[in-house]
């Protein structure tokens, strides 16, 4: 099933150009659809033909990640492709903030059947629809591949099997039409999409990214420079929502999180006294595994049978399930509130200028990721932000859950400052080794926020996006 989400009205957003990376790799600058301005355009201009003759560079080489900067008054059109988890998504976005198309094919039926994402099934489902989703995104935008300036694609974090489908498609399309590629970090895309819809969100800002696999608090200092204040030491909040929904026998097809949000409105949030996780830890890290266990035990003690769908349960049973949903949600979100409050304090200590922005009532706190589409979550975090004198900003719900717009927009942000790869070879082999980053931290860990429990789990991780960008900038300066 391919669901088309209608275009949203967007504000024009053209952040100031960053021209501090001028002396970089000069052998490639993309220039389709791009009208150079003499004053801020530096490089040799290559025709698409000569572009295609350039050799493919190694994407994991940080030097090659940073390329020649482009002008700001550009007219870029970027296709974004997202397949990191269970949604196959594509969108075409213009650099003035117009969303030309947005297409999402969700694997809701598979999710409902298996009660979670089964990687092999998810890969197959992506493979079946990827061509159709991308074509539909182009058709709805009334464009062809040759009208594009570049292709942006999520390369991590996520499930390798799933990432591979999107990356292969993006490389094939870019290779056969001589288009540059922008490799996108999924969580950065969640954090940046708000800059497309809310023009007042400038760096620095704080972001809470809450999804099925991630729970991250970051201080976004500038594009590509993120300080991780906290993360989860086990499960993310979305996982806890999904499991609670499954154990309560809810319909998972529109997402477990949404099902819990709706059911919780009918329940008594004070009826079950779950313990708020990590109260004794004075840091900004999260943990949802213990809360999941508490919920499972409560469900067992109430003899709730997940095999009986809630719609077929007795009235008494239905209200008992609603009480669990409401009590779970209250505590899951209280945990977010407590950690966010501390993170704001840390961020304000580190960045006194945030106080200045604060007095201008700028937006300093952004919440994104699937769970951020929850109205209860938004209302509670809005209170926390207000208490600290900040304003909470969230993307619209359709841009909180996984989508191609956030990938295209992040592609635009990086492309503008010259961070992109040249077109892949047109004849790249299907089984070429791809640069996929299933475990890829977004930012460097803030020392005060380090968790001992978590540091045990950092093996096999890719260096963070921030450290890669810093390394390339240092090379440039030496
Ligand atoms: O960002 P996302 O679409 O995919 C990942 O990157 O994980 O987030 C999916 C997560 C799922 O756990 C889903 O249950 C949760 O977001 N979610 C919600 C709501 N809508 C989606 N959680 C709570 N309330 C919602 N309304
Ligand atoms: Zn996501």
């Amino acid at each position: 099933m391919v669901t088309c989400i209608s275009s949203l009205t967007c504000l024009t957003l053209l952040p100031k150009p960053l021209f501090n990376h001028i002396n970089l790799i000069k052998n490639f600058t993309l220039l389709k659809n791009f009208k150079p301005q003499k004053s801020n355009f530096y490089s040799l201009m290559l025709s698409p033909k000569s572009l295609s003759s350039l050799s493919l560079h190694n994407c994991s080489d940080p030097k090659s990640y940073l390329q020649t900067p482009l002008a700001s008054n550009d007219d870029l059109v970027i296709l974004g492709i997202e397949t990191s988890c269970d949604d196959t998504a594509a969108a075409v976005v213009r650099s003035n903030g117009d969303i030309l198309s947005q297409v999402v094919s969700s694997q809701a039926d598979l999710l409902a059947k298996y009660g979670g994402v089964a990687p092999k099934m998810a890969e197959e489902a992506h493979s079946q629809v990827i061509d159709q989703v991308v074509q539909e995104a182009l058709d709805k935008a009334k464009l062809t591949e040759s009208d594009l300036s570049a292709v942006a694609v999520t390369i991590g974090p996520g499930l390798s099997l799933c990432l591979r489908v999107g990356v292969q498609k993006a490389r094939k399309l870019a290779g056969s039409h001589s288009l540059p590629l922008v490799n996108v970090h999924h969580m950065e895309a969640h954090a940046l999409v708000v800059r497309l819809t809310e023009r007042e969100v400038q760096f620095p800002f704080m972001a809470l990214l809450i999804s099925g696999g991630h729970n991250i608090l970051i201080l976004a200092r500038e594009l590509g420079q993120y300080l991780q204040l906290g993360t989860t030491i086990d499960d993310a909040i979305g996982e806890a929502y999904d499991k609670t929904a499954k154990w309560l026998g809810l319909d998972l097809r529109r997402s477990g999180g949404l099902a819990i949000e709706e059911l919780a409105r009918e329940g008594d949030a004070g009826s079950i006294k779950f313990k708020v996780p990590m109260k004794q830890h004075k840091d900004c890290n999260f943990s949802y595994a213990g809360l999941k266990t508490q919920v499972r035990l409560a469900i067992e003690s109430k003899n709730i049978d997940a095999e009986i769908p809630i719609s077929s349960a007795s009235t008494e049973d239905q209200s008992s399930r609603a009480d669990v949903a409401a009590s779970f949600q209250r505590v899951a979100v209280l945990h977010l509130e407590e950690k966010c409050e501390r993170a704001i304090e840390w961020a304000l200590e580190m960045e006194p200028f945030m106080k200045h922005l604060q007095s201008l009532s700028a937006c300093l706190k952004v919440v994104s990721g699937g769970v951020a589409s929850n109205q209860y979550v938004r209302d509670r975090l809005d209170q926390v932000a207000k208490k600290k004198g900040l304003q909470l900003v969230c993307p619209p719900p359709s841009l909180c859950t996984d989508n191609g717009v956030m990938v295209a927009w992040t592609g635009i942000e990086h492309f503008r400052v010259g961070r992109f790869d040249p077109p892949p070879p047109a004849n790249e082999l299907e089984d070429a080794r791809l640069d996929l980053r299933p475990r890829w931290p977004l930012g460097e860990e803030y020392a005060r926020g380090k968790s001992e429990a978590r540091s045990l789990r950092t093996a096999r991780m890719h260096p963070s996006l921030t450290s890669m960008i810093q390394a390339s900038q240092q090379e440039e300066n030496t």
Side-chain angles (χ1 to χ4, degrees), residues 186-187 190 211 369-370 400 402 406:
H186 181 83
M187 299 314 287
H190 272 306
S211 67
C400 279
D402 290 351
M406 67 183 195

Side-chain angles (χ1 to χ4, degrees), residues 16-204:
K16 290 198 183 84
L18 301 172
F19 290 131
N20 50 346
H21 312 306
I22 300 163
N23 297 316
L24 297 173
I25 302 165
K26 293 252 170 75
N27 65 350
F28 174 77
T29 300
L30 159 70
L31 305 185
K32 292 174 92 186
N33 278 354
F34 177 72
K35 297 174 190 68
Q37 296 174 346
K38 273 199 182 112
S39 56
N40 50 15
F41 181 65
Y42 304 98
S43 249
L44 180 70
M45 198 155 142
L46 300 172
S47 68
K49 206 166 163 206
S50 52
L51 285 179
S52 58
S53 67
L54 286 170
S55 62
L56 176 72
H57 81 288
N58 176 3
C59 326
S60 55
D61 172 4
K63 236 189 339 193
S64 60
Y65 189 60
L66 206 55
Q67 309 248 358
T68 309
L70 300 174
S72 70
N73 286 330
D74 46 15
D75 184 16
L76 304 170
V77 185
I78 292 195
L79 166 72
I81 299 178
E82 158 64 44
T83 61
S84 66
C85 190
D86 56 340
D87 290 314
T88 319
V92 180
V93 178
R94 207 177 265 288
S95 47
N96 67 358
D98 286 346
I99 298 172
L100 304 184
S101 65
Q102 186 182 180
V103 182
V104 180
S105 165
S106 95
Q107 300 178 7
D109 292 340
L110 281 180
L111 260 185
K113 188 164 167 201
Y114 296 101
V117 182
K120 197 75 195 110
M121 308 282 177
E123 177 201 20
E124 245 177 72
H126 283 304
S127 303
Q128 273 169 20
V129 298
I130 185 78
D131 289 342
Q132 189 191 342
V133 165
V134 168
Q135 193 54 52
E136 209 169 317
L138 288 168
D139 292 349
K140 284 182 82 69
K142 299 194 172 51
L143 296 175
T144 65
E145 290 87 344
S146 55
D147 298 312
L148 298 173
S149 315
V151 180
V153 63
T154 303
I155 63 163
L159 299 166
S160 300
L161 287 174
C162 299
L163 290 165
R164 176 174 298 277
V165 178
V167 172
Q168 265 173 347
K169 175 70 188 177
R171 293 186 72 84
K172 206 164 159 192
L173 196 149
S176 47
H177 294 86
S178 296
L179 295 167
L181 264 180
V182 191
N183 290 331
V184 170
H185 190 294
H186 181 83
M187 299 314 287
E188 185 187 35
H190 272 306
L192 294 185
V193 70
V194 76
R195 282 164 52 84
L196 179 154
T197 53
E198 308 284 340
R199 67 182 303 149
E200 72 269 39
V201 180
Q202 299 287 333
F203 295 102

